[in-house]
């Protein structure tokens, strides 16, 4: 994991946006994995600004979102469809057919999850997956205890999440109790991951993700097994890291190193594909 600490939320968002912009610059038909929540809002704002100022073309990208609530139509203001339209898609001028979100309105939710995974495969896999981290160490809607090999599925929301969301709905019975979410296994297949955290409230899960053991109790810790994850936070979220000075040192010393993995452009170089190929050839 490449751990980066920025002074504040604005600097962290800008650094994240520059990385996503670089992916699109090098690979105009990139497949972007997107997240909702308050954390990536700043990154999305910067990305729209970069696209405008540098004339960066997003017309060939495809996007996939991590998750969506069950039972909320795309037009519902609390749906992640609505969030993405407001915070990114309109600003980048993305066409509807470029974007993919799970439908929480599908009559067969299990089939919807299978369809979504198939669509990711058909698009060639996700190049960069943007992530936030929950206060309990979750990523997407993969709560503590989720399988670290899990695929996209219907998940029961944590009782705390249901309680937190109640304020956005007029009637308690309208508050979603389940969601559709990529699994940790789906996320780990992205060619690179970019996870962000801001504020003191994330200091503990952030330290657990980076310094703690890999455990399903902290689903984000599975990213330690990913070959190219960039973890960017502000100083408040980094405050509980055991090796903070060392991470800052490594970041300074690697200033001239590539930010994107070589296998973004050349899939053959992906160590996971190489391992799979040698497994297959030894089985022949
Ligand atoms: P937040 O949520 O960005 O609103 O803090 C992150 C998450 O829970 O995944």
């Amino acid at each position: 994991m490449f751990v980066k600490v920025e002074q504040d939320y604005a600097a962290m968002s800008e650094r994240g946006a520059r990385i996503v912009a670089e992916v699109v610059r090098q690979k105009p038909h990139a497949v972007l994995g997107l997240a909702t929540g308050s954390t990536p809002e700043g990154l999305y704002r910067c990305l729209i600004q970069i696209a405008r100022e540098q004339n960066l073309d997003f017309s060939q990208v495809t996007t996939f979102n991590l998750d969506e609530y069950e039972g909320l139509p795309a037009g519902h203001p609390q749906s992640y469809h609505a969030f993405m339209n407001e915070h990114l898609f309109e600003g980048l001028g993305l066409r509807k057919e470029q974007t993919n979100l799970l439908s929480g309105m599908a009559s067969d939710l299990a089939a919807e999850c299978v369809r979504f995974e198939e669509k990711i495969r058909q698009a060639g896999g996700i190049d960069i997956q943007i992530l936030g981290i929950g206060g309990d160490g979750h990523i997407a809607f993969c709560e503590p205890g989720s399988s670290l090999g899990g695929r996209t599925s219907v998940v029961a929301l944590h009782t705390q999440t249901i309680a937190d969301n109640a304020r956005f709905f007029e009637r308690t019975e309208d508050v979603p109790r389940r969601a559709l979410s990529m699994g940790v296994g789906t996320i780990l297949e992205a060619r690179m991951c970019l996870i962000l955290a801001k504020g003191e409230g994330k200091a503990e899960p952030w330290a657990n993700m980076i310094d703690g053991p890999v455990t399903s109790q902290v689903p984000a810790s599975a990213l330690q097994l990913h070959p190219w994850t960039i973890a960017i936070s502000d100083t408040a979220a980094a405050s509980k890291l055991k090796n903070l000075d060392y991470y800052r040192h490594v970041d300074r010393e690697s200033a001239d190193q590539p930010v994107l993995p070589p296998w973004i452009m050349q899939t053959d170089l992906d160590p996971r594909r190489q391992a799979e190929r040698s497994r297959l050839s030894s089985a022949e």
Side-chain angles (χ1 to χ4, degrees):
M1 209 181 285
F2 306 111
V3 181
K4 322 264 182 205
V5 186
E6 291 293 336
Q7 194 53 39
D8 54 24
Y9 180 62
M12 153 195 146
S13 301
E14 196 189 323
R15 189 163 187 181
R18 275 194 271 116
I19 294 170
V20 181
E22 188 54 25
V23 172
V24 177
R25 198 169 290 118
Q26 288 200 24
K27 196 170 182 178
H29 57 282
V31 179
L32 310 180
L34 304 174
T36 49
S38 59
T39 309
E41 282 179 21
L43 182 153
Y44 294 153
R45 265 196 304 277
C46 289
L47 194 59
I48 293 167
Q49 199 180 339
I50 294 174
R52 286 190 186 144
E53 288 173 2
Q54 302 178 13
N55 234 345
L56 187 59
D57 180 17
F58 279 76
S59 66
Q60 295 178 68
V61 306
T62 304
T63 72
F64 287 91
N65 262 79
L66 286 169
D67 44 16
E68 178 57 287
Y69 291 117
E70 177 188 8
L72 295 193
H76 192 287
Q78 294 308 321
S79 73
Y80 288 171
H81 281 75
F83 177 99
M84 291 312 302
N85 282 332
E86 180 186 340
H87 292 281
L88 190 67
F89 296 163
E90 283 167 16
L92 288 181
L94 298 190
R95 303 180 308 281
K96 196 168 181 331
E97 59 272 24
Q98 287 178 267
T99 67
N100 295 279
L101 282 99
L102 285 148
S103 169
M105 298 296 287
S107 55
D108 183 339
L109 295 175
E112 170 66 3
C113 295
V114 171
R115 183 198 67 86
F116 194 73
E117 291 255 346
E118 184 51 32
K119 240 179 151 193
I120 295 175
R121 253 189 305 278
Q122 283 169 1
I126 291 170
D127 288 304
I128 180 167
Q129 178 63 58
I130 298 168
L131 296 156
I133 185 170
D136 59 1
H138 72 224
I139 44 175
F141 270 127
C142 306
E143 298 287 2
S146 301
S147 161
L148 299 187
R151 311 302 309 189
T152 304
S153 60
V154 181
V155 295
L157 297 180
H158 200 284
T159 40
Q160 188 59 51
T161 311
I162 299 172
D164 289 348
N165 284 343
R167 66 185 191 281
F168 299 123
F169 295 85
E170 274 174 30
R171 303 177 317 169
T172 5
E173 58 265 38
D174 294 339
V175 185
R177 305 185 64 81
R178 299 195 303 181
L180 287 73
S181 175
M182 281 191 206
V184 177
T186 319
I187 293 167
L188 290 178
E189 279 175 12
R191 297 195 176 89
M192 70 182 289
C193 292
L194 173 62
I195 186 160
L196 307 168
K198 71 166 157 86
E200 219 182 313
K202 297 293 171 69
E204 196 168 324
W206 198 243
N208 289 339
M209 170 183 90
I210 294 167
D211 296 333
V214 174
T215 165
S216 67
Q217 295 308 304
V218 181
S221 67
L223 293 167
Q224 291 178 30
L225 300 172
H226 188 275
W228 203 282
T229 288
I230 304 180
I232 314 179
S233 75
D234 60 8
T235 44
S239 60
K240 293 196 171 155
L241 291 179
K242 279 192 217 123
N243 296 314
L244 183 54
D245 289 342
Y246 172 67
Y247 296 135
R248 286 187 191 277
H249 163 78
V250 172
D251 192 23
R252 275 192 304 272
E253 292 299 315
S254 24
D256 63 343
Q257 291 303 299
V259 177
L260 310 187
W263 54 86
I264 275 265
M265 301 307 294
Q266 260 179 286
T267 303
D268 281 6
L269 297 176
D270 192 325
R272 296 162 300 178
R273 293 200 178 216
Q274 285 175 346
E276 194 177 331
R277 258 201 310 274
S278 59
R279 239 194 338 269
L280 290 174
S281 66
S282 63
E284 271 169 13

